């Protein structure tokens, strides 16, 4: 989206919808190795560390004392899928995909990022490096291998930074779903990005009345409910608001900088596993040209699927198609 286009969006929406539409829940947010599911299943045998984590319940504690909540659905000996959520949401935002994949034999792990959902709300460490390291600790403590690792919106940034910092030794496939990489903010090297003032405004709106901000994001551009002829779902709006308000105030405030101003270019260059990129071409939160299509250029071997007319929140609005595409890719 060019700066001129961004101004057009501003004129079309109310001031608060503009702040939301700029990125809202942008976060505003391999079957597995060549050996296949059988190998992944054998790799899933519980190690002492994994058994200890299971005994502790659905939480792990990171090295810096942060508790990370997670769900572990499906057969424990199934091939592993990890799904990382967007801003300001939680693992609940993936429930349609997690239920579908788990019902088809996959072990699906979804976690609440630090500061979000049911995880701890630390004052510091609300940045992509910590997000990626928390994910690494979850993977290691559960001793997960042969993973299909996918992230939505901000979660796509978390997945990219995880691969950039920790490699693909435990990852067999990757997915970027309506994801923020490679970079959202406008810079000299990224002239098509959104002006930093947009994100500053989003933080200001969060301080002023984040409850109303989340309602405006959800009722407007996130699900495309601001488009002519759209039929808003109050349930989707309420779920988005509830997940956002469950997250920490300071954590979600800091995360706006994390998802908008972190450059994932070098991380994407390290993707050496089969990768699926999915994005709607009417995404008002994370514009497709500066995100999915730019990521495809940095990951030439990736498969890019474009959902015509789809908004940002495709985990809900296009869940049947997304469920199908994720399952097919996981099985391939």
């Amino acid at each position: 989206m060019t700066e001129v286009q961004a101004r057009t969006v501003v004129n079309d929406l109310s001031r608060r919808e503009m702040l939301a539409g700029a990125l809202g829940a942008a976060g505003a947010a391999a079957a597995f190795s060549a050996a296949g599911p059988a190998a992944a299943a054998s790799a899933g045998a519980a190690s002492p560390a994994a058994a200890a984590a299971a005994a502790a319940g659905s939480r792990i504690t990171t090295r810096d004392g942060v508790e990370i909540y997670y769900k572990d659905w499906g057969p424990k000996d199934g091939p592993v899928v990890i799904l990382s959520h967007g801003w300001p949401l939680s693992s609940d935002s993936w429930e349609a995909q997690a239920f579908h994949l788990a019902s088809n034999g996959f072990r699906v792990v979804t976690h609440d990022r630090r500061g979000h959902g049911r995880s701890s709300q630390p004052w510091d460490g609300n940045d992509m490096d910590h997000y990626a390291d928390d994910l690494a600790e979850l993977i290691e403590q559960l001793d997960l291998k042969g993973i299909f690792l996918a992230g939505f919106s901000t979660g796509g940034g978390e997945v990219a930074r995880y691969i950039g910092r920790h490699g693909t030794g435990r990852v067999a496939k990757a997915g970027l779903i309506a994801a923020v990489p490679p970079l959202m903010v406008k810079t000299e090297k990224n002239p098509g990005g959104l002006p930093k003032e947009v994100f500053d405004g989003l933080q200001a709106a969060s301080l002023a009345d984040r409850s109303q901000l989340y309602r405006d994001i959800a009722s407007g551009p996130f699900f495309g409910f601001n488009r002519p002829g759209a039929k808003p779902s109050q349930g989707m709006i309420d779920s988005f608001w509830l997940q956002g308000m469950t997250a920490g105030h300071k954590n979600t405030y800091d995360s706006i900088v994390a998802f908008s101003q972190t450059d994932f270019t070098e991380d994407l260059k390290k993707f050496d596993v089969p990768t699926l990129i999915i994005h709607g071409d009417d995404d008002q939160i994370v514009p497709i040209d500066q995100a999915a299509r730019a990521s495809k250029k940095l990951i030439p071997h990736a498969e890019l699927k474009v959902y015509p007319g789809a908004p940002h929140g495709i985990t809900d609005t296009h869940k049947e198609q997304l469920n199908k595409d994720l399952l097919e890719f996981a099985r391939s």
Side-chain angles (χ1 to χ4, degrees):
M1 179 183 287
T2 66
E3 190 166 356
V4 172
Q5 291 171 320
R7 286 197 296 269
T8 299
V9 172
V10 172
N11 292 332
D12 289 342
L13 304 175
S14 69
R15 175 172 176 76
R16 193 174 297 280
E17 283 184 342
M18 178 277 288
L19 295 173
L23 41 196
F32 296 90
S33 56
S42 64
S47 69
S58 299
R59 282 178 171 77
I60 65 160
T61 301
T62 65
R63 292 181 180 87
D64 60 346
V66 175
E67 286 193 350
I68 301 296
Y69 170 88
Y70 68 93
K71 303 176 187 177
D72 192 344
W73 291 3
K76 297 302 180 284
D77 60 350
V80 180
V81 178
I82 296 180
L83 303 173
S84 179
H85 66 81
W87 175 96
L89 306 173
S90 72
S91 57
D92 292 351
S93 63
W94 275 115
E95 64 183 13
Q97 292 70 47
F99 184 88
H100 184 69
L101 291 165
S103 297
N104 281 277
F106 289 85
R107 179 182 182 182
V108 185
V109 176
T110 57
H111 64 292
D112 292 354
R113 183 172 300 115
R114 68 165 56 203
H116 296 68
R118 289 138 292 204
S119 292
S120 297
Q121 298 183 4
W123 187 256
D124 298 313
N126 304 297
D127 56 71
M128 282 294 167
D129 286 353
H130 280 87
Y131 297 162
D133 291 350
D134 292 346
L135 176 58
E137 290 205 51
L138 176 66
I139 290 171
E140 291 162 9
Q141 290 193 37
L142 296 182
D143 196 26
L144 303 176
K145 301 173 184 177
I147 303 163
F148 173 21
L149 180 61
F152 167 78
S153 198
T154 297
E158 181 179 295
V159 166
R161 183 51 51 93
Y162 170 85
I163 290 176
R165 286 172 69 84
H166 300 278
T168 54
R170 291 176 177 262
V171 177
K173 292 185 177 182
L176 299 174
I177 315 302
V180 299
L183 177 61
M184 293 201 70
V185 73
K186 179 180 180 180
T187 64
E188 288 186 6
K189 293 183 178 180
N190 187 41
L194 291 163
K196 181 177 179 295
E197 290 75 18
V198 171
F199 306 109
D200 294 342
L202 186 58
Q203 285 190 307
S206 181
L207 291 178
D209 189 347
R210 76 179 183 117
S211 178
Q212 187 61 51
L213 174 63
Y214 295 162
R215 290 197 185 279
D216 290 339
I217 291 171
S219 62
F222 187 86
F223 297 112
F225 292 153
N226 58 335
R227 293 307 197 200
K231 297 180 179 179
S233 163
Q234 192 61 48
M236 289 184 190
I237 294 169
D238 290 347
S239 178
F240 183 102
W241 175 86
L242 178 60
Q243 291 178 59
M245 292 307 296
T246 303
H249 188 19
K250 171 69 157 52
N251 309 100
T252 52
Y253 178 87
D254 289 352
S255 192
I256 293 168
V257 172
F259 72 66
S260 67
Q261 297 173 44
T262 302
D263 189 343
F264 301 100
T265 300
E266 296 306 314
D267 301 305
L268 295 179
K269 292 177 182 179
K270 297 179 181 179
F271 278 49
D272 58 0
V273 295
T275 301
L276 176 65
I277 302 173
I278 297 177
H279 217 102
D281 67 5
D282 191 33
D283 190 328
Q284 302 169 71
I285 304 297
V286 183
I288 188 172
D289 287 340
Q290 281 68 50
R293 289 178 177 140
S295 292
K296 166 66 175 173
K297 292 178 182 178
L298 294 166
I299 316 172
H301 67 270
E303 176 185 1
L304 172 60
K305 284 183 175 287
V306 178
Y307 289 5
H312 188 60
I314 55 176
T315 57
D316 283 306
T317 62
H318 289 65
K319 63 182 179 182
E320 291 84 3
Q321 184 62 45
L322 182 58
N323 290 352
K324 176 178 177 290
D325 288 338
L326 290 176
L327 182 60
E328 286 183 354
F329 187 74
R331 286 175 167 170
S332 66

